[in-house]
């Protein structure tokens, strides 16, 4: 267990903003988890769990507490046959390394989630999804340290309350309660079939692709993402900053009549790409207080030279206000925010 003091949070998050954290503890073994929480309790400090920092925003005041970095490693096959494979991955693994591992085996279920930044442990917190796939479709259970009970437990899928970027782990009274040690997923030996999610389908049509194996879907998704999304290792960004807009059937029908493009589900509900809404407001490529709206994917905000959280806050408010005024739709941000200078 490695303990560091007075660490700049801007060095831990891909948006590169935020003041100092009182302590940062790297969790390298399962035994480290209880030790780390005991350390925070002894110092009367709150805790915050972080993976790769790709989905976290921090305030200038920093965090007067203990940030726990998940560094638990290991991927293993629990069961495998000609039809399915059950895989257990530790929470500190990079998510994309797990995707590559499963695609190399030829199993389908998370290939469209390729190149999503962050760790495996963070994936169920947000119930990550992209290009028509979602973690909720394949997850079986998670092993977690329950800070309320002070012990390791297993939560089944039915206990996670998995919704669109909304789960038991990030909303309600249990937000922050569980330190995710490992996840178990079940994948199938099959290939995806068209029609695909809009941008993936356009790529397939344009390149006349006919191989829909997990390896080839992964290759296509990586090419699409690389053409639109900045690499957070080199360009300060939190990835998709705004959630896509989910619509009831009646809402989807109404907005379809207005000519707004969307993805329609079999039950008639819909989803609008937030980037399209932002583009229609003329904000694509615009720079506000050091924050630029990407001209390749408008739901991505890039920190070019913002100096403070206030700069990000102002840019976000301008974007949300413009979309609300033009479409009557209020965008929701996807990254979660650390408490402002929190004290216990």
């Amino acid at each position: 267990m490695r303990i560091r003091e007075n660490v700049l949070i801007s060095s831990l998050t891909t948006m590169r903003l935020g003041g100092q954290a009182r302590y940062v503890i790297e969790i390298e073994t399962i035994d480290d988890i209880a030790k780390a929480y005991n350390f925070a309790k002894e110092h009367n400090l709150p805790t915050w769990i972080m993976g790769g920092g790709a989905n976290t925003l921090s305030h200038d005041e920093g965090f007067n507490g203990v940030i726990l970095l998940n560094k638990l490693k290991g991927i293993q096959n629990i069961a495998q046959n000609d039809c399915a494979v059950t895989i257990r991955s530790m929470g500190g693994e990079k998510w994309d390394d797990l995707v590559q591992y499963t695609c190399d085996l030829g199993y389908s279920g998370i290939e469209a989630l390729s190149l999503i930044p962050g760790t495996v442990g963070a994936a169920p917190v947000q119930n990550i999804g992209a290009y028509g796939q979602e973690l909720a479709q394949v997850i079986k259970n998670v092993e977690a340290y329950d800070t309320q009970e002070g012990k390791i437990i297993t939560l089944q899928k039915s206990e996670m309350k998995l919704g669109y970027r909304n789960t038991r782990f990030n909303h309600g009274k249990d937000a922050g309660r569980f330190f995710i040690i490992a996840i178990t997923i079940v994948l199938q030996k099959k290939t995806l079939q068209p029609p695909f999610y809009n941008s993936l389908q356009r790529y397939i049509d344009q390149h006349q692709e006919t191989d829909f194996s997990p390896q080839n879907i992964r290759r296509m998704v990586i090419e699409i993402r690389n053409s639109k999304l900045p690499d957070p290792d080199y360009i300060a960004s939190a990835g998709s900053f705004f959630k896509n807009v989910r619509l009831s059937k009646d809402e989807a029908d109404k907005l379809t009549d207005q000519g707004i493009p969307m993805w329609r589900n079999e039950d008639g509900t819909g989803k609008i790409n937030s980037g399209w809404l932002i583009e229609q407001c003329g904000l694509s490529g615009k720079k506000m207080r050091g924050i630029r709206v990407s001209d390749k994917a408008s739901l991505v905000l890039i920190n070019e030279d913002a100096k403070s959280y206030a700069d990000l806050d102002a840019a976000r408010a301008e974007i949300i206000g413009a979309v609300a005024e033009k479409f009557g739709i209020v965008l929701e941000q996807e990254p979660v925010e650390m408490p402002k200078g929190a004290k216990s």
Side-chain angles (χ1 to χ4, degrees):
M1 184 172 77
R2 183 184 175 204
I3 303 175
R4 291 181 284 158
E5 192 171 1
N6 298 325
V7 178
L8 279 174
I9 302 170
S10 58
S11 70
L12 303 176
T13 65
T14 60
M15 202 65 183
R16 312 284 198 273
L17 292 173
Q20 286 190 340
R22 177 74 177 278
Y23 294 102
V24 171
I25 298 181
E26 296 184 9
I27 305 297
E28 299 173 313
T29 70
I30 292 176
D31 289 341
D32 288 345
I33 303 171
K35 293 177 183 177
Y37 279 104
N38 287 335
F39 175 90
K41 186 176 181 180
E42 289 167 3
H43 288 77
N44 196 29
L45 293 172
T47 58
W48 182 269
I49 303 165
M50 191 182 296
N55 198 54
T56 302
L57 302 178
S58 175
H59 295 263
D60 304 325
E61 295 87 344
F63 181 60
N64 185 35
V66 181
I67 294 178
L68 308 180
L69 296 182
N70 192 336
K71 299 292 184 180
L72 300 173
K73 302 293 185 179
I75 300 174
Q76 63 181 134
N77 293 7
I78 296 175
Q80 184 174 351
N81 56 41
D82 291 339
C83 299
V85 63
T86 302
I87 295 173
R88 178 180 183 264
S89 175
M90 301 302 287
E93 291 284 349
K94 287 185 177 180
W95 171 257
D96 195 54
D97 288 348
L98 175 60
V99 178
Q100 181 175 346
Y101 175 86
T102 65
C103 289
D104 288 346
L105 290 176
Y107 287 89
S108 174
I110 58 174
E111 61 268 44
L113 308 185
S114 292
L115 221 61
I116 292 178
T119 59
V120 168
V125 176
Q126 289 293 107
N127 184 24
I128 59 173
Y131 302 103
Q133 286 184 339
E134 201 171 56
L135 183 63
Q137 297 166 348
V138 299
I139 195 164
K140 180 180 181 182
N141 61 50
V142 302
E143 297 159 55
Y145 180 81
D146 184 344
T147 61
Q148 199 171 93
E149 300 293 332
K151 64 181 181 181
I152 295 173
I153 64 169
T154 298
L155 291 170
Q156 302 302 320
K157 175 182 175 179
S158 60
E159 300 175 276
M160 300 180 206
K161 301 179 182 177
L162 300 174
Y164 176 66
R165 309 299 175 267
N166 186 318
T167 71
R168 180 180 182 182
F169 305 116
N170 64 11
H171 278 76
K173 62 182 178 63
D174 285 338
R177 172 178 170 179
F178 303 101
F179 184 99
I180 295 178
I181 296 169
I183 74 169
T184 299
I185 57 175
V186 180
L187 308 179
Q188 305 298 316
K189 193 77 169 182
K190 64 178 184 180
T191 58
L192 296 178
Q193 296 300 314
F196 295 96
Y197 193 77
N198 294 344
S199 53
L200 180 55
Q201 187 66 57
R202 284 195 298 270
Y203 181 98
I204 289 169
D205 294 342
Q206 180 182 352
H207 294 84
Q208 299 182 334
E209 297 280 355
T210 57
D211 177 4
F212 304 140
S213 65
Q215 297 95 325
N216 207 40
I217 291 291
R218 171 172 167 78
R219 177 190 62 79
M220 290 187 278
V221 167
I222 288 174
E223 288 189 21
I224 294 169
R225 291 183 68 93
N226 280 335
S227 70
K228 299 191 302 181
L229 303 175
D231 185 337
D233 287 340
Y234 303 99
I235 299 174
S237 165
S240 297
F241 195 89
F242 296 102
K243 298 178 183 180
N244 286 323
V245 181
R246 310 288 282 202
L247 304 168
S248 67
K249 182 179 182 304
D250 290 343
E251 290 171 332
D253 289 342
K254 181 180 178 180
L255 292 177
T256 297
D257 292 341
Q258 295 177 20
I260 296 178
M262 69 183 70
W263 173 266
R264 296 298 294 264
N265 299 309
E266 291 181 0
D267 61 1
T269 58
K271 181 169 66 175
I272 300 174
N273 185 312
S274 294
W276 183 89
L277 297 173
I278 295 168
E279 288 174 13
Q280 299 307 303
C281 293
L283 297 176
S284 182
K286 184 176 180 180
K287 185 175 180 180
M288 299 160 278
R289 298 276 293 267
I291 301 291
R292 188 179 299 280
V293 178
S294 171
D295 58 359
K296 295 180 179 179
S298 296
L299 50 67
V300 173
L301 302 187
I302 297 170
N303 177 10
E304 290 193 349
D305 48 30
K307 305 301 182 186
S308 67
Y309 176 87
D311 292 331
L312 174 62
D313 189 38
R316 172 179 53 200
E318 183 172 341
I319 295 165
I320 291 175
V323 171
E325 182 177 355
K326 186 175 181 68
F327 295 102
I329 294 172
V330 178
L331 297 180
E332 293 183 50
Q333 77 178 42
E334 188 165 326
V336 295
E337 299 199 9
M338 298 183 66
K340 189 191 304 185
K343 298 185 184 295
S344 58

